[in-house]
Amino acid sequence: MLRNMTSEPEQQIGVGTQDAFQRLWTPHRMAYIQGENKPSGPGAEDGCPFCTIPSKSDEDGLVVARGTYVYAVLNLYPYNGGHLMVVPFRHVADYTDLDEPETAELADFTKRAMTALRGASGAHGFNIGMNQGAVAGAGIAAHLHQHVVPRWGGDTNFMPVVGHTKVLPQLLADTRAMLAAAWPA
């Protein structure tokens, strides 16, 4: 039984005092919170990670697949395990700035991402979308990217709702290798 519990918040100093809560430390999220890997401006030369990733190896850049106009990459700060993004190689901010071949390959890679995620992890559904502009929630508004987030029945639980924490069951490098192997030709 829990003793001495109140509904009043209590300040913890240092490592804190014993209470009824378990801690799941996610120090890797601090880089995202502090804005690490965010571009310093809107240009491709301003440190855009989506412009830098293609020059890395697939393993180092977490690239799952490369096309002619777009590539699929794991999200470094995923909403769910297997969270991919489809990104044009060209540095454009708005969906309407894509030309026809880029638009077609972005759609094709989105379909391939869904197929790979279903095959590799048995995803039951997906959240697919783009946040256009900082006011719409785009973390990197200057370079278009489409999210493909796999979902499973019962994948919403108390951790993200109450604990504001996602539990990811696999290292990103292992997820990248698994999805690259499942990527349809």
Side-chain angles (χ1 to χ4, degrees), residues 26-45:
T26 57
H28 66 281
R29 297 280 306 157
M30 190 53 70
Y32 178 76
I33 292 166
Q34 293 176 337
E36 190 174 305
N37 299 321
K38 289 258 184 159
S40 60
E45 68 285 347

Side-chain angles (χ1 to χ4, degrees), residues 70 86 95 101-113 146:
V70 304
V86 180
Y95 185 66
E102 289 168 326
T103 303
E105 192 169 73
L106 187 131
D108 179 58
F109 262 53
T110 300
K111 289 169 58 175
R112 290 176 189 227
Q146 175 157 278

